[in-house]
Amino acid sequence: MNRFKLFLIAAIVAIAGAMPASAQFKIGPKIGATVSSLKFDRSVFDSDNRAGFTGGLMCEFTVPVVGVGFDLSAMYVRRSTRWMECNNVVSDSRDYFTIPVNLKWKMRLPLVKPFLTTGPEFAFLTSGRSVGEAWRNKKIDYSWNFGAGVEILGHLQLAAAYGIGLNSALQKTGVADNATKVEAKNRVWTLTAAYLF
């Protein structure tokens, strides 16, 4: 093995060994509010925005030199929805255990660090399966989130994110008068505050 190969292997080992040492890992509580609605694929439905809340635990891993990393959360989320179906009002409250996984990029500023996030979210329904006789909530909901925020003094993170549902959150049951397939995808704004140690 020549000297160049030995140098290359030594450099790769040194960089790989230095990455975890220089990387920053933080963890802490996260709370916030949600505003959700359903986006239907039929014009006979009309959904309005309803408020909910969220709370849980967040961890973050960041490589300081480039400011790129990811965050992972385990959150309890309450989503409330109300929609009109042929002049009938349907109300629904759903509780989820959600796992958002975001790629995160932070600007390298001393006291205040703006950041951008994007990534998938996996939501597992824990209550609110039936919605009257005609509708059922799906057990698993997938979405893609886009967010922005600011980190203050290295600990407090304030963020806003918009989630676009990738699958239908509702399905009609067989007892419905018209049990044709209807797409109803979640659209969720989330405002959160996290304090990471």
Side-chain angles (χ1 to χ4, degrees):
M1 190 177 293
N2 63 30
R3 288 184 183 177
F4 176 74
K5 287 182 180 177
L6 284 174
F7 175 76
L8 186 60
I9 291 171
I12 291 171
V13 169
I15 291 170
M19 283 291 282
S22 66
Q24 295 178 348
F25 179 81
K26 297 179 180 179
I27 190 167
K30 180 178 178 182
I31 59 169
T34 64
V35 178
S36 60
S37 66
L38 289 169
K39 175 70 174 171
F40 287 92
D41 64 347
R42 306 277 178 99
S43 60
V44 294
F45 298 92
D46 184 24
S47 175
D48 60 4
N49 293 324
R50 308 292 285 178
F53 58 90
T54 184
L57 193 64
M58 173 183 162
C59 65
E60 177 187 83
F61 177 86
T62 307
V63 179
V65 176
V66 292
V68 175
F70 68 89
D71 67 48
L72 171 71
S73 300
M75 307 293 291
Y76 166 80
V77 179
R78 164 68 58 94
R79 294 179 185 163
S80 297
T81 310
R82 186 178 69 181
W83 71 90
M84 296 286 293
E85 178 187 7
C86 301
N87 296 322
N88 294 322
V89 177
V90 181
S91 294
D92 181 25
S93 289
R94 292 160 286 152
D95 296 327
Y96 289 96
F97 172 73
T98 67
I99 303 173
V101 182
N102 290 308
L103 180 67
K104 179 180 276 184
W105 175 71
K106 288 184 192 175
M107 293 180 66
R108 301 295 302 153
L109 298 175
L111 299 177
V112 176
K113 294 181 176 73
F115 59 82
L116 298 173
T117 60
T118 188
E121 179 175 294
F122 308 94
F124 303 93
L125 189 70
T126 59
S127 70
R129 178 89 167 128
S130 295
V131 186
E133 295 183 356
W135 294 94
R136 279 179 28 192
N137 288 304
K138 295 277 187 80
K139 290 182 180 179
I140 301 175
D141 186 43
Y142 307 99
S143 60
W144 195 271
N145 295 331
F146 300 91
V150 63
E151 180 182 275
I152 302 169
L153 300 175
H155 295 285
L156 179 63
Q157 292 190 7
L158 305 175
Y162 184 67
I164 299 171
L166 301 177
N167 66 319
S168 185
L170 285 173
Q171 67 184 36
K172 275 197 169 186
T173 64
V175 298
D177 294 335
N178 180 12
T180 57
K181 184 179 173 79
V182 175
E183 290 285 327
K185 297 180 179 179
N186 277 313
R187 298 289 190 264
V188 182
W189 279 102
T190 306
L191 303 174
T192 57
Y195 193 87
L196 305 181
F197 300 93

